[in-house]
Each structure stands twice: as C-alpha cells, then as structure tokens.
Short mmCIF file of all heavy atoms in Angstrom, two decimals:
data_model
loop_
_atom_site.label_atom_id
_atom_site.label_comp_id
_atom_site.label_asym_id
_atom_site.label_seq_id
_atom_site.Cartn_x
_atom_site.Cartn_y
_atom_site.Cartn_z
N HIS A 1 0.86 -1.19 0.00
CA HIS A 1 0.00 0.00 0.00
C HIS A 1 0.90 1.24 0.00
O HIS A 1 1.21 1.79 1.06
CB HIS A 1 -0.91 -0.01 1.23
CG HIS A 1 -1.71 -1.26 1.39
ND1 HIS A 1 -2.87 -1.51 0.69
CD2 HIS A 1 -1.50 -2.36 2.16
CE1 HIS A 1 -3.36 -2.69 1.03
NE2 HIS A 1 -2.54 -3.23 1.91
N PRO A 2 1.32 1.71 -1.18
CA PRO A 2 2.25 2.85 -1.24
C PRO A 2 1.73 4.11 -0.55
O PRO A 2 2.53 4.93 -0.09
CB PRO A 2 2.40 3.08 -2.76
CG PRO A 2 2.11 1.75 -3.37
CD PRO A 2 1.03 1.14 -2.51
N ALA A 3 0.42 4.27 -0.49
CA ALA A 3 -0.15 5.46 0.17
C ALA A 3 -0.48 5.20 1.64
O ALA A 3 -1.28 5.92 2.24
CB ALA A 3 -1.41 5.91 -0.58
N LEU A 4 0.16 4.19 2.22
CA LEU A 4 -0.10 3.80 3.60
C LEU A 4 0.05 4.99 4.55
O LEU A 4 1.03 5.73 4.49
CB LEU A 4 0.88 2.70 4.02
CG LEU A 4 0.67 2.09 5.41
CD1 LEU A 4 -0.55 1.16 5.41
CD2 LEU A 4 1.92 1.33 5.85
N ARG A 5 -0.93 5.16 5.42
CA ARG A 5 -0.92 6.26 6.38
C ARG A 5 -0.61 5.71 7.77
O ARG A 5 -1.38 4.93 8.31
CB ARG A 5 -2.27 6.97 6.38
CG ARG A 5 -2.68 7.54 5.02
CD ARG A 5 -4.14 7.94 5.02
NE ARG A 5 -5.00 6.81 5.33
CZ ARG A 5 -6.32 6.91 5.56
NH1 ARG A 5 -6.91 8.10 5.53
NH2 ARG A 5 -7.04 5.83 5.83
N ILE A 6 0.53 6.11 8.32
CA ILE A 6 0.96 5.68 9.65
C ILE A 6 1.09 6.90 10.54
O ILE A 6 1.67 7.92 10.12
CB ILE A 6 2.30 4.94 9.61
CG1 ILE A 6 2.23 3.71 8.71
CG2 ILE A 6 2.72 4.52 11.02
CD1 ILE A 6 3.56 2.97 8.58
N THR A 7 0.59 6.81 11.76
CA THR A 7 0.83 7.87 12.73
C THR A 7 1.20 7.24 14.06
O THR A 7 1.03 6.02 14.25
CB THR A 7 -0.42 8.78 12.89
OG1 THR A 7 -0.03 9.96 13.60
CG2 THR A 7 -1.53 8.08 13.66
N GLU A 8 1.72 8.04 14.97
CA GLU A 8 2.10 7.58 16.29
C GLU A 8 1.46 8.47 17.36
O GLU A 8 1.33 9.68 17.17
CB GLU A 8 3.62 7.60 16.46
CG GLU A 8 4.34 6.64 15.52
CD GLU A 8 5.85 6.75 15.64
OE1 GLU A 8 6.43 7.63 14.95
OE2 GLU A 8 6.45 5.97 16.40
N VAL A 9 1.10 7.86 18.46
CA VAL A 9 0.63 8.62 19.63
C VAL A 9 1.53 8.22 20.80
O VAL A 9 1.97 7.08 20.91
CB VAL A 9 -0.86 8.32 19.95
CG1 VAL A 9 -1.75 8.73 18.79
CG2 VAL A 9 -1.07 6.83 20.28
N PRO A 10 1.84 9.17 21.67
CA PRO A 10 2.78 8.87 22.77
C PRO A 10 2.17 7.96 23.83
O PRO A 10 0.99 8.10 24.18
CB PRO A 10 3.09 10.26 23.34
CG PRO A 10 1.89 11.08 23.01
CD PRO A 10 1.40 10.58 21.68
N ILE A 11 2.97 7.02 24.30
CA ILE A 11 2.57 6.14 25.40
C ILE A 11 3.74 6.02 26.38
O ILE A 11 4.88 6.34 26.05
CB ILE A 11 2.19 4.73 24.93
CG1 ILE A 11 3.42 4.01 24.34
CG2 ILE A 11 1.05 4.77 23.93
CD1 ILE A 11 3.29 2.50 24.28
N THR A 12 3.43 5.55 27.56
CA THR A 12 4.46 5.12 28.50
C THR A 12 4.48 3.60 28.49
O THR A 12 3.48 2.96 28.79
CB THR A 12 4.19 5.62 29.92
OG1 THR A 12 4.26 7.05 29.94
CG2 THR A 12 5.21 5.07 30.90
N PHE A 13 5.61 3.04 28.09
CA PHE A 13 5.79 1.60 28.05
C PHE A 13 6.23 1.15 29.44
O PHE A 13 7.34 1.42 29.88
CB PHE A 13 6.84 1.23 27.00
CG PHE A 13 6.98 -0.24 26.74
CD1 PHE A 13 6.22 -0.87 25.77
CD2 PHE A 13 7.88 -1.00 27.48
CE1 PHE A 13 6.35 -2.22 25.52
CE2 PHE A 13 8.02 -2.36 27.24
CZ PHE A 13 7.26 -2.97 26.25
N GLY A 14 5.33 0.48 30.16
CA GLY A 14 5.61 0.12 31.54
C GLY A 14 6.41 -1.16 31.70
O GLY A 14 6.62 -1.91 30.75
N ARG A 15 6.84 -1.39 32.89
CA ARG A 15 7.54 -2.64 33.20
C ARG A 15 6.55 -3.79 33.32
O ARG A 15 5.37 -3.58 33.64
CB ARG A 15 8.32 -2.51 34.52
CG ARG A 15 9.55 -1.61 34.43
CD ARG A 15 10.30 -1.61 35.73
NE ARG A 15 11.50 -0.80 35.66
CZ ARG A 15 12.69 -1.25 35.28
NH1 ARG A 15 12.82 -2.52 34.93
NH2 ARG A 15 13.74 -0.44 35.24
N ARG A 16 7.03 -4.98 33.04
CA ARG A 16 6.21 -6.19 33.20
C ARG A 16 5.66 -6.23 34.62
O ARG A 16 6.38 -5.99 35.59
CB ARG A 16 7.07 -7.41 32.92
CG ARG A 16 6.53 -8.73 33.42
CD ARG A 16 7.42 -9.89 33.02
NE ARG A 16 7.23 -10.19 31.60
CZ ARG A 16 6.24 -10.93 31.13
NH1 ARG A 16 5.36 -11.46 31.97
NH2 ARG A 16 6.13 -11.17 29.84
N LYS A 17 4.37 -6.55 34.75
CA LYS A 17 3.72 -6.54 36.06
C LYS A 17 3.98 -7.82 36.84
O LYS A 17 4.06 -7.82 38.07
CB LYS A 17 2.21 -6.34 35.89
CG LYS A 17 1.86 -5.02 35.18
CD LYS A 17 2.43 -3.82 35.93
CE LYS A 17 2.03 -2.50 35.29
NZ LYS A 17 2.74 -2.23 34.02
N ALA A 18 4.08 -8.97 36.15
CA ALA A 18 4.31 -10.26 36.83
C ALA A 18 4.92 -11.23 35.82
O ALA A 18 4.82 -11.03 34.60
CB ALA A 18 3.01 -10.82 37.40
N GLY A 19 5.56 -12.29 36.32
CA GLY A 19 6.11 -13.32 35.44
C GLY A 19 7.43 -12.91 34.82
O GLY A 19 8.02 -11.88 35.16
N GLU A 20 7.89 -13.73 33.85
CA GLU A 20 9.18 -13.51 33.22
C GLU A 20 9.00 -13.19 31.74
O GLU A 20 8.09 -13.70 31.09
CB GLU A 20 10.06 -14.77 33.35
CG GLU A 20 10.41 -15.13 34.79
CD GLU A 20 11.30 -16.35 34.88
OE1 GLU A 20 11.60 -16.93 33.80
OE2 GLU A 20 11.69 -16.72 35.99
N SER A 21 9.90 -12.36 31.22
CA SER A 21 9.86 -12.01 29.81
C SER A 21 10.15 -13.23 28.95
O SER A 21 10.98 -14.07 29.29
CB SER A 21 10.89 -10.92 29.51
OG SER A 21 10.94 -10.66 28.13
N LYS A 22 9.44 -13.31 27.80
CA LYS A 22 9.67 -14.41 26.85
C LYS A 22 10.67 -14.01 25.78
O LYS A 22 11.00 -14.80 24.91
CB LYS A 22 8.34 -14.81 26.19
CG LYS A 22 7.18 -14.99 27.16
CD LYS A 22 7.48 -15.97 28.27
CE LYS A 22 6.26 -16.24 29.15
NZ LYS A 22 5.77 -15.06 29.88
N ARG A 23 11.15 -12.76 25.82
CA ARG A 23 12.07 -12.26 24.81
C ARG A 23 13.50 -12.41 25.29
O ARG A 23 13.89 -11.79 26.26
CB ARG A 23 11.75 -10.79 24.50
CG ARG A 23 12.59 -10.20 23.40
CD ARG A 23 12.13 -8.80 23.03
NE ARG A 23 10.79 -8.80 22.47
CZ ARG A 23 10.25 -7.74 21.87
NH1 ARG A 23 10.92 -6.62 21.79
NH2 ARG A 23 9.03 -7.81 21.38
N LYS A 24 14.28 -13.24 24.62
CA LYS A 24 15.66 -13.49 24.98
C LYS A 24 16.57 -12.55 24.17
O LYS A 24 16.42 -12.43 22.96
CB LYS A 24 16.05 -14.95 24.71
CG LYS A 24 15.10 -15.95 25.37
CD LYS A 24 15.03 -15.76 26.88
CE LYS A 24 14.10 -16.77 27.53
NZ LYS A 24 13.95 -16.55 28.99
N LEU A 25 17.52 -11.90 24.84
CA LEU A 25 18.28 -10.84 24.21
C LEU A 25 19.08 -11.31 22.99
O LEU A 25 19.08 -10.64 21.96
CB LEU A 25 19.23 -10.20 25.23
CG LEU A 25 18.57 -9.36 26.31
CD1 LEU A 25 19.63 -8.79 27.24
CD2 LEU A 25 17.74 -8.24 25.72
N VAL A 26 19.77 -12.45 23.08
CA VAL A 26 20.58 -12.91 21.96
C VAL A 26 19.69 -13.27 20.77
O VAL A 26 19.95 -12.87 19.63
CB VAL A 26 21.44 -14.12 22.37
CG1 VAL A 26 22.17 -14.69 21.15
CG2 VAL A 26 22.44 -13.72 23.46
N ARG A 27 18.62 -14.01 21.05
CA ARG A 27 17.69 -14.37 19.99
C ARG A 27 17.02 -13.13 19.41
O ARG A 27 16.77 -13.03 18.21
CB ARG A 27 16.64 -15.33 20.55
CG ARG A 27 15.70 -15.91 19.50
CD ARG A 27 14.75 -16.88 20.16
NE ARG A 27 13.83 -17.44 19.19
CZ ARG A 27 12.84 -18.26 19.50
NH1 ARG A 27 12.67 -18.61 20.77
NH2 ARG A 27 12.04 -18.73 18.57
N PHE A 28 16.73 -12.20 20.28
CA PHE A 28 16.13 -10.91 19.89
C PHE A 28 17.01 -10.23 18.84
O PHE A 28 16.54 -9.80 17.79
CB PHE A 28 16.01 -10.06 21.15
CG PHE A 28 15.56 -8.64 20.96
CD1 PHE A 28 14.21 -8.32 20.92
CD2 PHE A 28 16.49 -7.63 20.87
CE1 PHE A 28 13.80 -7.01 20.77
CE2 PHE A 28 16.08 -6.31 20.72
CZ PHE A 28 14.73 -6.00 20.67
N ALA A 29 18.31 -10.15 19.10
CA ALA A 29 19.23 -9.46 18.20
C ALA A 29 19.40 -10.20 16.88
O ALA A 29 19.29 -9.61 15.80
CB ALA A 29 20.59 -9.29 18.89
N PHE A 30 19.67 -11.50 16.94
CA PHE A 30 19.91 -12.25 15.71
C PHE A 30 18.64 -12.40 14.88
O PHE A 30 18.70 -12.48 13.66
CB PHE A 30 20.50 -13.62 16.04
CG PHE A 30 21.97 -13.57 16.35
CD1 PHE A 30 22.42 -13.63 17.66
CD2 PHE A 30 22.90 -13.42 15.34
CE1 PHE A 30 23.77 -13.56 17.95
CE2 PHE A 30 24.25 -13.35 15.62
CZ PHE A 30 24.69 -13.42 16.94
N GLY A 31 17.49 -12.44 15.53
CA GLY A 31 16.24 -12.50 14.79
C GLY A 31 16.06 -11.28 13.90
O GLY A 31 15.61 -11.39 12.75
N TYR A 32 16.44 -10.11 14.39
CA TYR A 32 16.32 -8.90 13.59
C TYR A 32 17.33 -8.87 12.46
O TYR A 32 17.03 -8.37 11.37
CB TYR A 32 16.47 -7.66 14.48
CG TYR A 32 15.24 -7.36 15.28
CD1 TYR A 32 15.28 -7.27 16.66
CD2 TYR A 32 14.01 -7.18 14.65
CE1 TYR A 32 14.13 -7.00 17.40
CE2 TYR A 32 12.86 -6.92 15.36
CZ TYR A 32 12.94 -6.83 16.74
OH TYR A 32 11.79 -6.57 17.46
N LEU A 33 18.51 -9.41 12.67
CA LEU A 33 19.50 -9.47 11.59
C LEU A 33 19.00 -10.35 10.45
O LEU A 33 19.11 -10.00 9.27
CB LEU A 33 20.83 -9.99 12.13
CG LEU A 33 21.59 -9.08 13.09
CD1 LEU A 33 22.83 -9.79 13.62
CD2 LEU A 33 21.98 -7.78 12.40
N GLU A 34 18.43 -11.51 10.79
CA GLU A 34 17.89 -12.41 9.78
C GLU A 34 16.71 -11.78 9.05
O GLU A 34 16.58 -11.87 7.83
CB GLU A 34 17.46 -13.73 10.43
CG GLU A 34 18.62 -14.53 10.99
CD GLU A 34 18.16 -15.72 11.81
OE1 GLU A 34 16.92 -15.91 11.92
OE2 GLU A 34 19.02 -16.46 12.32
N THR A 35 15.83 -11.13 9.82
CA THR A 35 14.67 -10.48 9.21
C THR A 35 15.10 -9.36 8.28
O THR A 35 14.53 -9.18 7.20
CB THR A 35 13.74 -9.93 10.29
OG1 THR A 35 13.27 -11.01 11.09
CG2 THR A 35 12.54 -9.22 9.68
N LEU A 36 16.09 -8.58 8.68
CA LEU A 36 16.59 -7.48 7.85
C LEU A 36 17.04 -8.00 6.49
O LEU A 36 16.68 -7.43 5.45
CB LEU A 36 17.73 -6.77 8.57
CG LEU A 36 18.37 -5.59 7.81
CD1 LEU A 36 17.35 -4.49 7.59
CD2 LEU A 36 19.57 -5.07 8.58
#
C-alpha cells in the first residue's frame, strides 16, 4: 500500500507486572538481523 498512512501517539511503556519475559536478548538481536 504505497499510500499507507501511519501515525504515532505517545505512550508510557511500563515494566512487566508479573512473570518472566519471553524475549531473549541474543535471539532478539539475531532475529532482527535475519529479518533485515
């Protein structure tokens, strides 16, 4: 969609309230390299 309309509104991204994150830092980084 070349005419795609994207906007942003400000939020506060809070800390996890309970439990453990499922996002692993090493996998997080290499996943983006592969996707790129």
Side-chain angles (χ1 to χ4, degrees):
H1 307 279
L4 185 74
R5 302 167 301 172
I6 302 177
T7 194
E8 296 176 274
V9 298
I11 66 160
T12 295
F13 188 90
R15 289 184 178 271
R16 163 177 285 277
K17 300 303 183 287
E20 297 181 358
S21 175
K22 312 306 185 297
R23 184 174 295 191
K24 307 302 181 184
L25 289 181
V26 174
R27 187 178 180 184
F28 173 87
F30 281 103
Y32 283 123
L33 292 175
E34 294 172 0
T35 298
L36 179 63

